[in-house]
Amino acid sequence: MTVNISFFSLFVTDQDAAKRFYIDNLGFEERTDITLGDGYRWCTIGHPDQPGIEVNLAVPGPPLSDEMVGAMRRALDSGSMGGFGLSTDDCRKAYEDLSAKGVEFLQEPADRPYGVEAVLRDNSGNWLVLVEPKEYTAEDFPPEGLSG
């Protein structure tokens, strides 16, 4: 039996604008964009190199409670919603290219024990990590603050 990730939902403020952001800036492609009988729009994107994974660009709404919808919209508006991680083979070059396209970065590329990492924000307020991974071990992370 195989169980793996096929799709996940990313909450956005505007599906059309989010779809354009991911396609125009990050090289994703449209996978599905249909409106179901109850008016719910199923809008997915995916990266051409990962045909088995789709991102559902969802606007907060039913079946979530009004309270949850309000909380999610406030989190998006404040730019405090987490998104997902993106892998790249050259973080600094991707940073330059995306910055030139007007993508907002919260953190410039920086060396980390696991690679080079930058943090960006999409046009809905979700923050995404952009990582150029490298091999690492537990020893690469110093045990700061541990007493023994």
Side-chain angles (χ1 to χ4, degrees):
M1 178 174 86
T2 300
V3 177
N4 59 25
I5 296 171
S6 61
F7 77 90
F8 62 92
S9 294
L10 179 71
F11 287 99
V12 298
T13 55
D14 178 301
Q15 289 168 306
D16 291 319
K19 184 168 68 169
R20 281 191 306 275
F21 175 87
Y22 284 94
I23 290 171
D24 295 346
N25 294 306
L26 300 177
F28 283 65
E29 61 189 12
E30 180 181 310
R31 297 282 173 82
T32 306
D33 195 344
I34 59 173
T35 300
L36 304 176
D38 62 358
Y40 180 80
R41 184 175 172 195
W42 181 256
C43 179
T44 68
I45 55 167
H47 196 275
D49 295 341
Q50 295 176 305
I53 300 176
E54 295 185 47
V55 180
N56 172 37
L57 302 172
V59 175
L64 300 173
S65 70
D66 290 344
E67 181 181 331
M68 180 58 83
V69 168
M72 294 180 84
R73 287 186 178 153
R74 286 189 301 276
L76 286 167
D77 290 344
S78 70
S80 60
M81 285 286 276
F84 52 89
L86 300 164
S87 181
T88 181
D89 58 358
D90 189 337
C91 187
R92 288 178 173 84
K93 175 76 169 115
Y95 169 81
E96 291 172 12
D97 292 349
L98 294 172
S99 293
K101 291 180 178 181
V103 173
E104 176 189 4
F105 276 84
L106 305 174
Q107 173 193 295
E108 294 182 8
D111 291 317
R112 304 283 186 239
Y114 47 84
V116 181
E117 175 190 73
V119 179
L120 63 109
R121 184 172 290 158
D122 73 7
N123 60 348
S124 288
N126 295 298
W127 54 264
L128 311 169
V129 293
L130 178 64
V131 178
E132 176 187 333
K134 72 174 187 180
E135 297 271 333
Y136 64 91
T137 66
E139 288 77 34
D140 294 320
F141 296 86
E144 297 174 22
L146 296 179
S147 59

